[in-house]
Amino acid sequence: MTSLPPKLPARLPVKLAVLALAVPAVLALLPTAAEASQESLRRHVTYLASDALDGRLTGTDGEARARDYLVAQLDELGVEPLPGAEGLVHPFEFTAGTKDAGSVLTLATDSTEEVFTGSETFQALSLSDNGSVTGEVVFAGYGLVLPESAEFGYDSYAGLDVEGKIVVALRYFPEAVDQETRAAFSRYSGLRFRALQARERGAKGLLLVTGPNSPNAGETIAMSFDSAIAGSGIIAASASGEVGDRLFSFVSGKTLAESQTALDDGNPHVAGFAIPGVRLTLDVRVERERRVGHNLVGVLPRNVAGEVDKPYVMIGAHYDHLGRGGGGNSLARKEEVGGIHHGADDNASGVAAVLEMVSGLAAMERRRDVIVALWSGEELGVLGSNAFVEEGTIAAADLAAYVNLDMVGRARDNKVALRAMGSSSIWPEVVERANVPVGLDLTEGEDPYLPTDTLTLNQAEVPSIDLFTGAHEDYHRPTDTADLINYEDLERIARFGTLVAANVINRDAAPDFLKVEPRTDSGGDRDSVRAFTGTIPDYTTEVEGLLLSGVIAGGPADEAGLQEGDVIVEFGGQKIANIYDYTYALDAVKIGEPVLVVLERDGERMEVTITPRARD
Amino acid sequence: MNVQRFSYLATTLLVAFGAFASGAQSQSPTQSPTPSPSEGPTESDYLTRVRRLTFEGRRAGEGYFSPDGRIMVFQSERESGNPFYQIYELDMETGEGARISPGVGKTTCPFVRPGTGDVQYASTHLDPQSEELQRAELELRASGQERRYSWDYDPHMDIFVAPAGGGEPLRLTDAWGYDAEGSYSPDGEWIVFSSMRHAYDHELDPEDLARLEVNPSYFAEIYLMRADGSEQRRLTDAPGYDGGPFFFPDGSRIIWRRFDEEGLTANVYSMKPDGSDQRQLTDFGAMSWAPYVHPSGAYVFFASNKLGFGNFEIFIVDVEGTKEPVRVTFTDGFDGLPVPTPDGQQLAWTSTRHAGEGGQIYLGRWNHAAALAALEAAPPRVHNSTENPAHD
């Protein structure tokens, strides 16, 4: 270590030198304190994102190595086990994957019996219960039910008695409807939602067939990652088009294709029907691989005594990442597939910032205990934070607030997005005060329904705030590496986070919780959004339209010539004012069908055509 | 102190806020990499690291700094139970802040007294109807109606001083009629302000009575008084709203803005502290107002809607007004009320660039050297017939 800060010029101008002498010693030390903090951040991120940690996939050795490192860091910072807990590690069980363990479909008439097996012919849905059910068969169209709140009425089960029967339905939703109708259907076409509808009507089983008019025609549905510990309360599977055709051979005067075509204009009056003379037995075996993930949670106890309303403030970041990207949400390019997903920004940056915040808070007065949470299982669907809230070691009702940092290492132009600010009325005041000395260019977002642990805490009615520096072209790719992190601004973000936390920690009254109404209904799930365009929205800038921070190389947007800085203002005839409009518009497009996109580039309006692909 | 200084603009402003919040945002902020050098000057030539400073409350504005730059005083609608502006201070090093006005009634236009740290501001809190007015306004807002923002030149408005150490506000003016828009001389001994008192101190002829009804600010003139409220005197005597006065950094002159009789256009003027030697600095034929002199004394910031009725931008002009003003903000929406920090290195102003309902205070690094160079290169001002004869 040198005795002088490295950036000090050799010859100071006289005036500046006098000034430097005049300022209190603590101020003179500030630059070096910030630099030391940057060094710590760099050290944490560099280790967490190193090859040795193999991408920190929940429940793997990589996670274990990250855990060992972080437990040691937390120990050193004075973070103690929660009351009643033995250590900082809080394990939780989760389903790491599902596979079909030999499901069998039997089609029986009074005199015959046909057996279908093999994953290309008959395969469980990941969400299915295990078991065997036999029943008469009812064809229920697309098996869709739109709730009363939807734009229009649609109920595939209207007039059908499916009690105790096997429901056969088409996958997806009517194919030949206008975009607005598609968008509405799309929201309620998720597999879980459909399984629920069948179950609620008393069906014994649900068998989905991908119709000949749909993408992936005739194929069984791939067993997606599904993190649920248990099944959905119904036996559910998919079968090939060949099975569908065989079933429709019992229907007089209609083929499967004709039946689908009749439904494809979305007419709600095209009814389903019983398929006579045949019984189906769905013998479904789903094997769920159980693993254990590990949250790291502890407390930095308060150092000022006295009564406070709600004793805890929680700060957190997830430390897990994608491993080698096998879980389905990797965006690795072809040549990168199978590589270590380093996750430096996502979310070694947030973890490092939380450690620096703990270090900063440890030196301050604290009227509330600080709960420090480093989550695992976030990338698999915020499993860790959910498990912790359910575990109840700390009651959510005792948390005055939650500060989340997820992807805070790629600040550009001083910009940081604050999200979930609608969850309490105190945030504008807290943010204003915290940012005066730090000077970030902050943008505000109200919505707490975010794809990160903020979602969990918001659902537990904890006032939450979320710091984020935006998506980028290395997002969820092996190229998200430690050398690309902006450590200078990461240090400032950690300082800002420290001041935000300190403000809440030392307030008399705990913040109020405001419920933000979700912007979209939750009937859909990942299965319902099929279109892939390869655009990377910029979440940190508020412009009218959708500003792109980049495009995924080789994706449809890339092929169409879209680039960073473009603002999408119209997509498939729908005006795009924000990310929600865009998501909604995406719901409504058809795979493989060109969509006219109007965008603004350098102030000029341009029109391009994008051809969305199917999402894997 | 300037949203107040222009009531007619009030409606204009609201329209501007609305229009830019909803639609014309497509031209992205100038900090985005779009404009190429060939397209001429951009905001980042003058302002960098621009960021929003205030977040709390419906709107905030008129931020002015203590001489050491440590404290900013400003007005904001953030008081629970009071929909009107109150006065707040913000410590620019720690972010700590507090309300310094009584919390009741309407207030505006704070300014820190050099040397003592006292803060003068205008307030209606002695009006016994204050709380009733607050309730009525809150009910109106709760009913979903948005009263068009308008400054009503409340005749209860008087100038008060909040002592630096806290305690009861001291009343400095008691004339019936609007007294507000005060600011201190650099030595802290004088306050220059705007008052409508002469509309009430004699019998008005029918024409003036009608004016007072529809356009009361017509009667506003610039006044001067000692910091203790003594020796109140009038400095201007021209038809149209004179307001928003500030001393030059060396105390030698006063900068302010004057509306025409109808209140449709305004221009920036300067004069000696005794009211003599009035000179006109701007001549856009638009609303040019909210002037403030840079601490170097070399040029004046002001806001103007020269480029469009609802599009206020900040300009600078040399203190003599000999050159064409230079535009320094290039972002759609409202940009106005420019106030530099005392070291001249930063600029605070009020903007709606976040597309919010109301303005908030922004802060950016100010490029003084670029400002000087641009003024140097600016062409001479074209004089036109509206020139104030006092200048000649």
Side-chain angles (χ1 to χ4, degrees):
Chain A
M1 298 287 327
T2 55
S3 57
L4 272 179
K7 281 181 181 164
L8 209 61
R11 282 181 304 142
L12 282 170
V14 177
K15 212 170 155 189
L16 192 64
V18 171
L19 246 175
L21 289 176
V23 295
V26 64
L27 285 181
L29 286 174
L30 267 181
T32 41
E35 279 169 26
S37 176
Q38 284 173 34
E39 268 323 298
S40 301
L41 290 162
R42 185 188 300 273
R43 199 174 64 242
H44 297 319
V45 172
T46 303
Y47 179 71
L48 292 169
S50 64
D51 285 357
L53 271 65
D54 205 30
R56 310 187 303 278
L57 182 65
T58 306
T60 65
D61 289 349
E63 187 215 53
R65 281 192 284 276
R67 185 166 81 227
D68 291 345
Y69 175 81
L70 292 170
V71 166
Q73 298 296 324
L74 292 169
D75 272 342
E76 200 169 306
L77 289 165
V79 176
E80 302 169 3
L82 297 180
E86 282 185 20
L88 298 173
V89 178
H90 290 245
F92 61 93
E93 262 196 54
F94 68 103
T95 304
T98 53
K99 63 180 181 189
D100 191 295
S103 298
V104 179
L105 173 70
T106 308
L107 189 156
T109 67
D110 288 342
S111 52
T112 64
E113 204 170 272
E114 294 160 67
V115 172
F116 300 91
T117 58
S119 63
E120 287 174 13
T121 309
F122 181 67
Q123 179 164 259
L125 297 186
S126 297
L127 53 78
S128 177
D129 275 7
N130 283 332
S132 178
V133 287
T134 302
E136 294 170 16
V137 184
V138 176
F139 174 68
Y142 276 97
L144 293 173
V145 180
L146 268 58
E148 279 175 22
S149 62
E151 292 79 350
F152 54 89
Y154 192 92
D155 182 355
S156 297
Y157 291 95
L160 292 182
D161 174 16
V162 299
E163 178 85 37
K165 298 177 180 158
I166 307 291
V167 169
V168 172
L170 293 159
R171 190 188 184 186
Y172 301 134
F173 46 86
E175 294 286 343
V177 295
D178 61 38
Q179 292 202 332
E180 206 174 321
T181 310
R182 292 180 69 80
F185 278 136
S186 163
R187 295 216 192 127
Y188 305 102
S189 66
L191 298 179
R192 273 199 173 266
F193 192 64
R194 283 191 222 229
L196 170 90
Q197 297 298 341
R199 190 190 74 201
E200 293 300 299
R201 281 161 180 77
K204 274 184 175 171
L206 173 66
L207 181 65
L208 293 177
V209 176
T210 311
N213 301 345
S214 298
N216 309 313
E219 292 177 15
T220 54
I221 300 171
M223 291 190 70
S224 67
F225 173 79
D226 188 296
S227 63
I229 290 166
S232 52
I234 189 170
I235 304 289
S238 65
S240 67
E242 172 206 349
V243 173
D245 289 338
R246 179 71 186 101
L247 265 176
F248 269 75
S249 69
F250 294 92
V251 179
S252 62
K254 264 188 233 168
T255 64
L256 174 61
E258 285 162 3
S259 296
Q260 183 180 21
T261 303
L263 288 158
D264 272 350
D265 67 358
N267 182 349
H269 303 297
V270 177
F273 43 82
I275 299 181
V278 63
R279 271 171 293 119
L280 285 177
T281 300
L282 312 184
D283 184 1
V284 173
R285 300 277 169 249
V286 179
E287 200 171 282
R288 296 190 162 81
E289 190 195 347
R290 304 289 295 160
R291 283 205 191 158
V292 178
H294 306 82
N295 293 320
L296 313 177
V297 190
V299 57
L300 181 69
R302 64 180 181 162
N303 54 11
V304 177
E307 280 294 298
V308 284
D309 172 23
K310 299 196 176 183
Y312 306 117
V313 168
M314 180 185 265
I315 60 176
H318 76 86
Y319 74 95
D320 67 303
H321 194 53
L322 305 179
R324 288 173 178 261
N329 46 0
S330 167
L331 296 172
R333 292 179 192 173
K334 249 191 190 115
E335 66 276 15
E336 297 166 355
V337 168
I340 296 170
H341 286 55
H342 295 92
D345 182 37
D346 186 9
N347 181 31
S349 66
V351 171
V354 165
L355 294 178
E356 278 305 290
M357 287 167 65
V358 174
S359 166
L361 289 168
M364 300 169 90
E365 289 198 342
R366 300 180 304 280
R367 296 177 60 196
R368 286 182 174 83
D369 291 340
V370 184
I371 307 291
V372 184
L374 301 179
W375 309 114
S376 189
E378 190 274 349
E379 301 284 10
L380 307 177
V382 292
L383 304 182
S385 50
N386 264 313
F388 183 80
V389 167
E390 277 175 30
E391 169 192 315
T393 309
I394 297 288
D398 287 336
L399 293 172
Y402 176 60
V403 182
N404 190 62
L405 294 94
D406 190 357
M407 299 177 65
V408 288
R410 292 288 196 103
R412 283 156 290 182
D413 299 332
N414 198 32
K415 287 188 200 307
V416 177
L418 298 179
R419 307 187 296 181
M421 284 187 61
S423 65
S424 175
S425 66
I426 67 153
W427 292 129
E429 179 205 324
V430 173
V431 161
E432 178 178 303
R433 293 184 174 203
N435 194 43
V436 165
V438 182
L440 298 166
D441 181 5
L442 300 172
T443 56
E444 295 177 290
E446 299 288 302
D447 192 349
Y449 299 95
L450 304 167
T452 178
D453 299 296
T454 304
L455 177 72
T456 310
L457 276 298
N458 179 69
Q459 279 171 345
E461 308 205 332
V462 179
S464 300
I465 190 166
D466 185 276
L467 281 60
F468 179 48
T469 53
H472 45 80
E473 64 165 352
D474 301 305
Y475 173 68
H476 279 197
R477 287 173 54 199
T479 50
D480 177 8
T481 50
D483 57 311
L484 297 175
I485 297 299
N486 176 349
Y487 294 101
E488 195 180 326
D489 285 340
L490 182 55
E491 186 273 328
R492 298 170 65 229
I493 290 164
R495 203 148 29 100
F496 171 75
T498 304
L499 292 171
V500 167
N503 183 309
V504 185
I505 288 166
N506 292 315
R507 296 175 88 86
D508 291 334
D512 55 348
F513 172 77
L514 301 178
K515 186 172 165 51
V516 177
E517 290 304 321
R519 293 284 293 261
T520 52
D521 294 291
S522 52
D525 63 20
R526 216 179 286 179
D527 187 66
S528 64
V529 181
R530 293 179 289 157
F532 169 70
T533 57
T535 47
I536 306 173
D538 182 333
Y539 296 94
T540 63
T541 312
E542 285 178 25
V543 300
E544 181 96 0
L546 183 85
L547 175 64
L548 300 185
S549 71
V551 293
I552 291 168
D558 187 25
E559 283 170 2
L562 269 72
Q563 60 192 43
E564 178 184 348
D566 286 351
V567 179
I568 296 180
V569 296
E570 218 179 288
F571 191 91
Q574 295 190 38
K575 193 175 179 306
I576 307 296
N578 52 47
I579 182 100
Y580 299 103
D581 290 350
Y582 186 66
T583 311
Y584 186 81
L586 265 186
D587 281 352
V589 302
K590 251 182 126 166
I591 311 295
E593 201 166 275
V595 181
L596 183 70
V597 177
V598 182
L599 57 92
E600 283 173 3
R601 176 181 299 167
D602 301 341
E604 303 267 317
R605 260 173 107 81
M606 296 175 54
E607 290 186 357
V608 297
T609 305
I610 291 186
T611 308
R613 290 184 209 145
R615 195 179 279 281
D616 300 330
Chain B
M1 15 198 87
N2 302 324
V3 168
Q4 283 30 332
R5 305 182 180 193
F6 75 141
S7 73
Y8 310 93
L9 293 195
T11 10
T12 316
L13 244 186
L14 216 264
V15 171
F17 285 6
F20 290 103
S22 63
Q25 201 70 359
S26 56
Q27 201 172 322
S28 54
T30 46
Q31 284 196 310
S32 74
T34 22
S36 68
S38 63
E39 292 170 51
T42 68
E43 193 165 285
S44 57
D45 294 345
Y46 305 101
L47 285 163
T48 51
R49 297 288 266 197
V50 171
R51 60 164 167 124
R52 183 172 162 184
L53 190 61
T54 57
F55 287 83
E56 193 187 351
R58 272 166 63 103
R59 43 171 88 90
E62 308 230 17
Y64 300 95
F65 296 93
S66 60
D68 62 2
R70 173 82 191 241
I71 301 293
M72 185 183 80
V73 291
F74 63 103
Q75 62 191 28
S76 177
E77 290 181 6
R78 56 172 64 176
E79 195 65 29
S80 160
N82 186 348
F84 302 115
Y85 282 127
Q86 288 293 312
I87 304 301
Y88 301 84
E89 64 177 359
L90 184 62
D91 186 315
M92 297 298 287
E93 277 178 28
T94 65
E96 293 301 311
R99 169 164 54 74
I100 53 180
S101 55
V104 179
K106 310 165 199 168
T107 67
T108 186
C109 299
F111 205 91
V112 181
R113 184 176 181 189
T116 69
D118 297 344
V119 177
Q120 75 82 44
Y121 58 90
S123 175
T124 65
H125 66 276
L126 297 182
D127 178 1
Q129 280 195 304
S130 285
E131 291 187 3
E132 206 172 301
L133 291 169
Q134 290 170 204
R135 267 195 302 277
E137 178 69 16
L138 285 173
E139 278 165 21
L140 185 72
R141 289 186 188 178
S143 74
Q145 290 178 59
E146 179 71 26
R147 187 165 64 105
R148 291 207 148 201
Y149 183 83
S150 82
W151 193 241
D152 52 9
Y153 303 101
D154 193 326
H156 292 93
M157 192 69 89
D158 279 310
I159 295 178
F160 295 80
V161 171
E168 285 294 300
L170 261 65
R171 187 174 185 174
L172 297 188
T173 66
D174 57 8
W176 182 244
Y178 174 85
D179 293 322
E181 308 176 15
S183 62
Y184 285 99
S185 60
D187 64 6
E189 295 300 317
W190 298 90
I191 293 174
V192 62
F193 64 103
S194 183
S195 175
M196 297 179 189
R197 58 185 66 182
H198 81 107
Y200 305 95
D201 64 6
H202 63 285
E203 200 142 320
L204 298 178
D205 60 35
E207 196 184 347
D208 276 354
L209 266 178
R211 275 207 178 98
L212 188 59
E213 200 59 35
V214 298
N215 180 15
S217 64
Y218 170 84
F219 297 97
E221 300 296 345
I222 305 297
Y223 284 71
L224 186 69
M225 63 180 168
R226 285 207 172 268
D228 63 1
S230 64
E231 297 183 40
Q232 299 188 13
R233 69 190 77 158
R234 180 168 167 178
L235 301 185
T236 60
D237 186 14
Y241 181 11
D242 291 279
F246 297 96
F247 280 89
F248 277 40
D250 64 0
S252 64
R253 297 182 69 81
I254 289 165
I255 194 99
W256 88 103
R257 61 104 183 84
R258 167 175 289 163
F259 273 89
D260 67 4
E261 276 186 57
E262 283 72 39
L264 297 177
T265 64
N267 278 303
V268 175
Y269 288 75
S270 78
M271 63 182 164
K272 288 187 176 164
D274 63 2
S276 67
D277 190 26
Q278 297 188 5
R279 302 185 197 172
Q280 182 175 346
L281 276 66
T282 65
D283 193 16
F284 279 162
M287 292 176 200
S288 300
W289 57 287
Y292 203 98
V293 183
H294 186 267
S296 65
Y299 50 90
V300 180
F301 294 95
F302 66 97
S304 179
N305 65 349
K306 177 195 180 189
L307 298 154
F309 192 62
N311 183 19
F312 284 90
E313 299 291 353
I314 297 172
F315 293 78
I316 52 174
V317 65
D318 61 287
V319 285
E320 302 291 336
T322 57
K323 297 292 192 77
E324 266 304 303
V326 172
R327 179 184 179 186
V328 298
T329 60
F330 293 79
T331 303
D332 279 344
F334 176 82
D335 290 292
L337 302 159
V339 181
T341 52
D343 64 5
Q345 302 292 306
Q346 297 186 82
L347 185 72
W349 76 101
T350 304
S351 180
T352 57
R353 54 185 60 202
H354 54 282
E357 270 181 49
Q360 296 285 346
I361 300 175
Y362 280 71
L363 190 67
R365 289 184 190 160
W366 175 248
N367 190 336
H368 177 56
L372 289 177
L375 283 169
E376 182 66 32
R381 179 155 69 102
V382 182
H383 291 242
N384 77 24
S385 55
T386 67
E387 188 74 10
N388 184 349
H391 186 209
D392 298 323

